[in-house]
């Protein structure tokens, strides 16, 4: 699964942590980029969980995924 932004509804790290925990219970191989409805402190939560794709790339199943973010300032 590739999640392309807006992981929260203008939420901060606690909302991101809750979302990522729920996501990983059901989809342990998901990748995500933060969106314009996510505050910058959501990205480190995603990085710690190993799902962050912002400003990087990953190969998976013969496909290359590139991540660009759009989080709030």
């Amino acid at each position: 699964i590739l999640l392309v932004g807006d992981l929260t509804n203008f939420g901060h790290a606690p909302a991101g942590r809750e979302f990522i925990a729920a996501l990983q219970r059901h989809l342990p191989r998901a990748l995500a980029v933060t969106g314009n409805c996510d505050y910058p402190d959501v990205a480190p939560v995603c990085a710690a969980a190993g799902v962050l794709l912002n400003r990087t790339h990953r190969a998976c199943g013969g496909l290359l995924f590139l991540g660009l973010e759009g989080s709030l300032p």
Side-chain angles (χ1 to χ4, degrees):
I1 289 288
L2 179 61
L3 302 170
V4 291
D6 298 346
L7 307 178
T8 69
N9 186 20
F10 298 98
H12 286 275
R17 234 180 257 99
E18 183 179 336
F19 176 78
I20 295 299
L23 174 71
Q24 290 189 316
R25 279 193 297 274
H26 302 286
L27 300 165
R29 292 185 54 192
L31 296 174
V33 293
T34 54
N36 65 321
C37 291
D38 302 311
Y39 281 92
D41 60 349
V42 174
V45 169
C46 295
V51 301
L52 188 66
L53 194 58
N54 291 7
R55 301 181 193 168
T56 190
H57 67 279
R58 289 207 200 158
C60 183
L63 299 173
L64 182 63
F65 295 93
L66 305 171
L68 302 174
E69 65 181 304
S71 64
L72 294 169

